[in-house]
Amino acid sequence: MANADCVSVRVFSLNCWGIHYLSKHCSQRYQMIGEMLCKEQHDIVLLQEVWSEKDFLYLKVKLASTHPHSHYFKSGVIGSGLAIFAKHRIHDTFLYRYSLNGYPYMAHHGDWFGGKAVGMAILNIAGLTVNVYVTHLHAEYSREKDSYLSHRVVQAWELQQFIRHTSTGADVVIVGGDLNMHPQDLGCRLLMSYTGLKDSYIETAKFDGCENGMTLIADNLFISKNELIPFEKGIRIDYILFKGSSTAKIYCDFMSTTKGSVPGHPLPYSDHEALTAELRLESHIPAQAGSDKTHDTPAEKLAELVDTLTEARTEVKVGLHCAERMRYTAARTGVMGLALLVLELAIAAVPCFALGAEQPFPRISFYLLAALCFAILLTTFLLYIFYTMELKSLQGAEDQMRLAVGSLQEKLRGFPVAQPNDAPQRSPEGQQPSALDPEE
Amino acid sequence: MANADCVSVRVFSLNCWGIHYLSKHCSQRYQMIGEMLCKEQHDIVLLQEVWSEKDFLYLKVKLASTHPHSHYFKSGVIGSGLAIFAKHRIHDTFLYRYSLNGYPYMAHHGDWFGGKAVGMAILNIAGLTVNVYVTHLHAEYSREKDSYLSHRVVQAWELQQFIRHTSTGADVVIVGGDLNMHPQDLGCRLLMSYTGLKDSYIETAKFDGCENGMTLIADNLFISKNELIPFEKGIRIDYILFKGSSTAKIYCDFMSTTKGSVPGHPLPYSDHEALTAELRLESHIPAQAGSDKTHDTPAEKLAELVDTLTEARTEVKVGLHCAERMRYTAARTGVMGLALLVLELAIAAVPCFALGAEQPFPRISFYLLAALCFAILLTTFLLYIFYTMELKSLQGAEDQMRLAVGSLQEKLRGFPVAQPNDAPQRSPEGQQPSALDPEE
């Protein structure tokens, strides 16, 4: 970090390809990613396709000292796969779920279950309000016959709406992620021209990485050459974008990508290449004025808000337990339906279970019962998926509330009038112990 | 409208209870609402539960001269039910769908199918950027045993997030809608304390309306007294909220509600009472500086953006046709499944269709075929719902894009360099004629 009016911010973005059992060497790659992030100490780390929360928690523990602030965005059935790690405190987060995201019956493409979204985190870096966005759009499975094009265009449209409308108060905007679009694709042009975001690969003063900034390359050992046809060498679909404002200018001094396998390791970090951008922020306002933005609410109001938030968290937790119970009931009923079906099939197929030979086999009852079993299985399966989505949304809201409480309490501590321990004691004791520590 | 620095804005909000065949006197009430709105000429009209797009279009035609600008927010299976009419041009719109909204199998409550959301419209009134929000939260069906409480709290949380993050650039914020929460309910407190929004009923200098500002009253002939227990006289769950900024102050000079049946008519407008607030906006910036905000992009960039947007609209329209075709196929397959089931039942039940008496009735085939029919019916039903949601989202995006193109073209016309007809001609001719007229 340079002087007060000029600050350097290193941003990292990677699609982690974190599908356990399907992605190759998943755990080993997370270990490599964790070690590299620990060493490199980027200011902001934006990850996509962190499908398992366990992997996020693994990284959270691993990066606890270098990146004490983090957020995992929950959405859909599996999750949004989006995660952010930061050296600087995350003051606020917000998630926008795209209204269109493929089809649930295209299960082999999996996008619908992921609940694709754009996550926002508001950071304060050297007195500047920095809005950071991480996103992952619907994959393109065939360039010639892209049946998801309209979905991806609507996602790009909603992404630009979200960024444009939520960043009016920001001094600086940083966007990272896997857009699944080539630089000249319609969605990309829509996003860039409407928001005024700049592409760090185009803007950078110096670049070190793959030819044409490609992020999905033929030299990556996880990539099959057939996937890339007709682009033999690779394509550029991952981006770090940025934008300044009237109060701050932003430049890209250096940008790099990984180039397939990591030096000293037999593997790459992922099937995508990782991006790193060294951005330089130039403040056009006194640093004090910038940080003042977050201090315009009196202490009593803040304390009241912490109380309300704590109450809201309790209510959401009640809903969480209820949804968990419902999901458990759905799962148990489904298992019972399955057991009944297996028993029935056993009776029909295995002679020793069969009824006496003198009685005819009760075909009608058999088929009715089988139909009932299937109906139970289908219904409980749909309910299970629905409750999982409900749980994800509730957990997501609860996470964001916890983070907000932490940020508010931090502000409260900054008030000269309030005693350092006053604010936390206002929240109902015993009931919400974790509210006192937002990072728990 | 007063002098340049002080402007009066009349805001209207009503839950229209527009469920055809279920709501009483629906068409008659829309006619009354249309006539009243024509006569009253509010600046901003915020409507909820306009479930049928036909009713929106009826009002749009009726209010064409008094409220030339309007937007209908599409979402979910049925729609969000949210609509806005304005005297002033709507420059931009954005819709946020709540992540939780009841359960699809609680069909008799219907909220899930409505796709509850919060819609935003950006208006420019006398040089001030006014962000207008309209919303409708999940209904409370039982105050004692409210199984939707956590969903409503999460909706209130997301509502405050959406308003807070999207209104940073606004001079004035106005929110109207049916929050389905009493003033002291957790969600209301969360919303008000986090956003700093003020309640026009509390803030108003003069009030004329129901006792305690109630909006669901026992005196309304569509309300059964049992619904209101334990609140004999009624409850207040509809609101007009507002907030100023460092650049503009806002006051409520007068507020009123309807009081059941409309004078001169046998009916009320709806089962909810309508709200009207007379707000006074005091600009603290020169009017010119305020309107300048929207003129910071050069003409070439704007024209390029119009082209990109037109291309995006085309792509979304292609998706729309595709989704329509898929939904049609699902419906047709469903009808065929139903026909097959009817035929099968006829064969089994009606003797004249039956097989010869010498052949035994093929029970196994019968049950297998019936199971197949049910599976087809269920699958096509689920697909039909899914495609309807997809259609709504695509239509919603297309509507917003059309509005954005209109707004951009308006800006382009304002550029002194460009010829008046230059900008529209840049968009591909013949292909997108409607792009030239955003209000079509």
Side-chain angles (χ1 to χ4, degrees), chain A residues 22-40:
Chain A
L22 281 177
S23 313
K24 288 169 194 157
H25 309 285
C26 204
S27 308
Q28 198 181 338
R29 289 190 290 107
Y30 270 115
Q31 206 178 327
M32 285 165 59
I33 292 170
E35 277 160 16
M36 178 266 294
L37 291 177
C38 254
K39 200 180 123 225
E40 289 287 334

Side-chain angles (χ1 to χ4, degrees), chain B residues 346-380:
Chain B
I347 290 174
V350 183
C352 67
F353 289 128
L355 302 162
E358 68 278 8
Q359 284 194 356
F361 186 75
R363 279 175 196 278
I364 302 172
S365 315
F366 179 83
Y367 286 113
L368 280 179
L369 206 59
L372 181 71
C373 288
F374 276 114
I376 289 174
L377 278 176
L378 182 69
T379 312
T380 50

Side-chain angles (χ1 to χ4, degrees), chain A residues 48-51 72-83 95-104 106-107 109-119 134-139 141 155 158 385 388-390 392-393, chain B residues 96 99 386:
Chain A
Q48 304 96 51
E49 288 209 26
V50 185
W51 294 123
Y72 185 58
F73 294 96
K74 284 167 189 147
S75 152
V77 183
I78 305 169
S80 70
L82 305 173
L95 183 72
Y96 181 88
R97 292 159 186 85
Y98 297 123
S99 66
L100 290 169
N101 187 33
Y103 305 97
M106 298 296 268
H109 285 171
D111 295 71
W112 186 84
F113 292 87
K116 297 266 161 79
V118 45
V134 55
T135 191
H136 183 196
L137 303 199
H138 197 293
Y141 294 97
Q155 289 187 343
E158 292 177 349
I385 290 198
T388 305
M389 287 166 75
E390 187 189 8
K392 279 276 183 308
S393 291
Chain B
Y96 182 89
S99 67
F386 184 81

Side-chain angles (χ1 to χ4, degrees), chain A residues 330-360:
Chain A
R332 210 174 42 181
T333 314
V335 168
M336 273 160 58
L338 191 67
L340 192 62
L341 191 68
V342 169
L343 183 72
E344 211 198 343
L345 290 174
I347 290 173
V350 184
C352 67
F353 288 128
L355 302 162
E358 68 278 6
Q359 283 193 352

Side-chain angles (χ1 to χ4, degrees), chain B residues 272-286:
Chain B
H272 285 244
E273 300 308 313
L275 311 180
T276 307
E278 287 190 22
L279 305 175
R280 180 164 38 90
L281 278 51
E282 260 183 35
S283 171
H284 286 212
I285 39 163

